[in-house]
Amino acid sequence: MSTTTCQVVGFLLSVLGLAGCIAATGMDTWSTQDLYDNPVTSVFQYEGLWQSCVRQSSGFTECRPYFTILGLPAMLQAVRALMVVGIVLGAIGLLVSIFALKCIRIGNMEDSAKANMTLTSGIMFIISGICAIAGVSVFANMLVTNFWMSTANMYTGMGGMVQTVQTRYTFGSALFVGWVAGGLTLIGGVMMCVACRGLAPEETNYKTVSYHASGHNVAYKPGGFKASTGFGSNTKNKKIYDGGARTEDETGSPQGQVQPVTWTPGHLRQLRRRKLVSPG
């Protein structure tokens, strides 16, 4: 998949996920009344994050907002906060990602700036998706806990034979919308982060390489850097080939030429003792 395709697909998934998070937050069917073993079927109750509603069999529906904040359960307030934070981060990431699209050119914006903006929007989408999934999961856990506690309290009296009428709530459609929307936002953010690597310009470093000759007295010097196979600071008696130009030290001798040997009296005495040279 090309970089542009990955970026556009991630952008579209994030937009769909953000729209789903907004829809799930505004829906009133986070929890719906469980009708199993419920003798009263003329009234159907369901609740959301902001209000609770009652629908009668005649089709009339009445909703009542939550007029209090401190009187609400702490878990419900935490779910509200998570969903609102996820929507805000997703909206900011959406604005940033619009300017970061590779198919949209604004002024003289460089690819490195688009890569940074794409990475930033991707991280925001990931956090937004995590917030949405966490909020929906916390609310679902609260529903499950209340459901089983209500089930345990339904049968009271002598030997558990007397059944009390108690309203139980189960998962509503908003929970599933929130889970899907959070997953889409999360996947879109990951794809935006992956597309950032393709948008970043590649840095190429050109390094000078020295080539050492196999001979002892020959060195090659590419790019103006001297390279030698010998040791020490004395560079005499060596040939240097620089870009095809050949120079030779005046004090040096051509390669392969035999130099005359000068014998000192001390050398001759040592050789006579070893009987390597005749006295004459």
Side-chain angles (χ1 to χ4, degrees):
M1 184 181 294
S2 63
T3 302
T4 305
T5 305
C6 183
Q7 186 185 31
V8 172
V9 172
F11 174 77
L12 295 178
L13 289 178
S14 301
V15 171
L16 291 177
L18 179 61
C21 291
I22 296 175
T25 305
M27 293 176 65
D28 296 329
T29 54
W30 280 70
S31 60
T32 58
Q33 182 180 359
D34 183 28
L35 299 179
Y36 182 75
D37 288 342
N38 189 359
V40 180
T41 58
S42 60
V43 177
F44 180 72
Q45 301 179 9
Y46 53 94
E47 297 179 351
L49 297 179
W50 314 101
Q51 61 184 1
S52 61
C53 300
V54 176
R55 187 176 65 216
Q56 300 179 2
S57 59
S58 60
F60 179 76
T61 302
E62 181 182 1
C63 295
R64 182 181 180 183
Y66 301 134
F67 294 104
T68 179
I69 296 178
L70 299 179
L72 296 175
M75 299 297 290
L76 181 60
Q77 297 184 16
V79 173
R80 279 182 172 184
L82 286 173
M83 298 303 294
V84 171
V85 170
I87 292 174
V88 172
L89 289 177
I92 297 175
L94 179 62
L95 294 177
V96 175
S97 62
I98 291 176
F99 297 101
L101 290 175
K102 192 175 181 180
C103 56
I104 298 177
R105 180 66 62 178
I106 301 176
N108 296 325
M109 186 179 296
E110 299 179 355
D111 291 339
S112 58
K114 284 184 173 291
N116 294 332
M117 295 175 66
T118 302
L119 180 61
T120 303
S121 62
I123 294 175
M124 287 186 176
F125 284 139
I126 291 175
I127 299 177
S128 175
I130 292 176
C131 289
I133 294 175
V136 175
S137 300
V138 169
F139 194 89
N141 179 68
M142 183 175 61
L143 281 180
V144 171
T145 303
N146 294 335
F147 182 86
W148 291 113
M149 290 181 62
S150 300
T151 303
N153 295 329
M154 282 183 64
Y155 296 95
T156 58
M158 299 178 56
M161 299 303 296
V162 180
Q163 181 179 358
T164 60
V165 178
Q166 189 172 0
T167 303
R168 298 183 302 178
Y169 291 92
T170 184
F171 292 172
S173 58
L175 294 180
F176 302 101
V177 174
W179 273 318
V180 174
L184 290 177
T185 309
L186 181 62
I187 296 174
V190 172
M191 295 187 68
M192 295 288 285
C193 293
V194 171
C196 169
R197 300 184 59 184
L199 293 175
E202 298 181 358
E203 297 180 358
T204 305
N205 297 326
Y206 298 94
K207 298 181 180 180
T208 304
V209 181
S210 299
Y211 299 92
H212 299 275
S214 59
H216 182 71
N217 295 327
V218 181
Y220 295 92
K221 185 183 66 174
F225 294 93
K226 293 183 180 181
S228 175
T229 57
F231 297 94
S233 61
N234 187 12
T235 58
K236 294 183 178 181
N237 301 327
K238 294 184 179 180
K239 297 178 181 180
I240 299 177
Y241 297 91
D242 188 2
R246 177 179 175 181
T247 61
E248 184 174 334
D249 199 318
E250 295 179 356
T251 60
S253 60
Q255 186 178 0
Q257 183 176 354
V258 180
Q259 299 293 328
V261 180
T262 302
W263 298 97
T264 61
H267 291 163
L268 294 176
R269 284 194 297 270
Q270 292 179 3
L271 294 175
R272 289 194 188 101
R273 292 194 188 105
R274 297 177 184 179
K275 297 181 182 181
L276 296 178
V277 180
S278 60

